[in-house]
mmCIF file of all heavy atoms in Angstrom:
data_model
loop_
_atom_site.group_PDB
_atom_site.id
_atom_site.type_symbol
_atom_site.label_atom_id
_atom_site.label_comp_id
_atom_site.label_asym_id
_atom_site.label_seq_id
_atom_site.Cartn_x
_atom_site.Cartn_y
_atom_site.Cartn_z
ATOM 1 N N ALA A 61 92.984 118.401 97.618
ATOM 2 C CA ALA A 61 91.745 117.936 98.314
ATOM 3 C C ALA A 61 91.763 118.514 99.749
ATOM 4 O O ALA A 61 90.697 118.725 100.345
ATOM 5 C CB ALA A 61 91.678 116.499 98.318
ATOM 6 N N ALA A 62 92.927 118.801 100.314
ATOM 7 C CA ALA A 62 93.023 119.320 101.642
ATOM 8 C C ALA A 62 92.950 120.845 101.690
ATOM 9 O O ALA A 62 93.039 121.482 102.723
ATOM 10 C CB ALA A 62 94.294 118.850 102.377
ATOM 11 N N GLY A 63 92.884 121.504 100.503
ATOM 12 C CA GLY A 63 92.777 122.887 100.406
ATOM 13 C C GLY A 63 94.049 123.645 100.007
ATOM 14 O O GLY A 63 94.090 124.901 100.062
ATOM 15 N N LEU A 64 95.155 122.932 99.895
ATOM 16 C CA LEU A 64 96.448 123.556 99.579
ATOM 17 C C LEU A 64 96.584 123.931 98.148
ATOM 18 O O LEU A 64 96.087 123.305 97.231
ATOM 19 C CB LEU A 64 97.570 122.646 100.046
ATOM 20 C CG LEU A 64 97.586 122.380 101.533
ATOM 21 C CD1 LEU A 64 98.523 121.174 101.794
ATOM 22 C CD2 LEU A 64 98.202 123.549 102.218
ATOM 23 N N THR A 65 97.409 124.965 97.884
ATOM 24 C CA THR A 65 97.805 125.317 96.554
ATOM 25 C C THR A 65 99.126 124.541 96.317
ATOM 26 O O THR A 65 99.966 124.578 97.155
ATOM 27 C CB THR A 65 98.067 126.837 96.450
ATOM 28 O OG1 THR A 65 96.874 127.523 96.771
ATOM 29 C CG2 THR A 65 98.556 127.243 95.062
ATOM 30 N N VAL A 66 99.173 123.881 95.121
ATOM 31 C CA VAL A 66 100.347 123.094 94.853
ATOM 32 C C VAL A 66 101.051 123.473 93.610
ATOM 33 O O VAL A 66 100.509 123.579 92.536
ATOM 34 C CB VAL A 66 99.867 121.534 94.695
ATOM 35 C CG1 VAL A 66 101.036 120.680 94.495
ATOM 36 C CG2 VAL A 66 99.035 121.136 95.892
ATOM 37 N N LEU A 67 102.409 123.722 93.835
ATOM 38 C CA LEU A 67 103.305 123.921 92.736
ATOM 39 C C LEU A 67 104.099 122.571 92.581
ATOM 40 O O LEU A 67 104.338 121.969 93.549
ATOM 41 C CB LEU A 67 104.298 125.052 92.974
ATOM 42 C CG LEU A 67 103.656 126.374 93.323
ATOM 43 C CD1 LEU A 67 104.780 127.353 93.786
ATOM 44 C CD2 LEU A 67 102.930 126.968 92.111
ATOM 45 N N THR A 68 104.436 122.251 91.284
ATOM 46 C CA THR A 68 105.217 120.994 91.164
ATOM 47 C C THR A 68 106.440 121.230 90.371
ATOM 48 O O THR A 68 106.587 122.179 89.604
ATOM 49 C CB THR A 68 104.320 119.919 90.410
ATOM 50 O OG1 THR A 68 104.020 120.390 89.116
ATOM 51 C CG2 THR A 68 103.070 119.570 91.165
ATOM 52 N N ALA A 69 107.390 120.342 90.580
ATOM 53 C CA ALA A 69 108.644 120.359 89.829
ATOM 54 C C ALA A 69 109.061 118.883 89.612
ATOM 55 O O ALA A 69 108.926 118.056 90.489
ATOM 56 C CB ALA A 69 109.736 121.106 90.605
ATOM 57 N N SER A 70 109.566 118.597 88.438
ATOM 58 C CA SER A 70 110.032 117.214 88.123
ATOM 59 C C SER A 70 111.521 116.970 88.356
ATOM 60 O O SER A 70 112.007 115.861 88.062
ATOM 61 C CB SER A 70 109.657 116.865 86.699
ATOM 62 O OG SER A 70 110.360 117.740 85.833
ATOM 63 N N SER A 71 112.187 117.972 88.772
ATOM 64 C CA SER A 71 113.682 117.824 88.948
ATOM 65 C C SER A 71 114.173 118.926 89.993
ATOM 66 O O SER A 71 113.403 119.819 90.288
ATOM 67 C CB SER A 71 114.406 118.057 87.648
ATOM 68 O OG SER A 71 114.259 119.381 87.245
#
Side-chain angles (χ1 to χ4, degrees):
L64 293 163
T65 301
V66 182
L67 303 172
T68 62
S70 63
S71 66

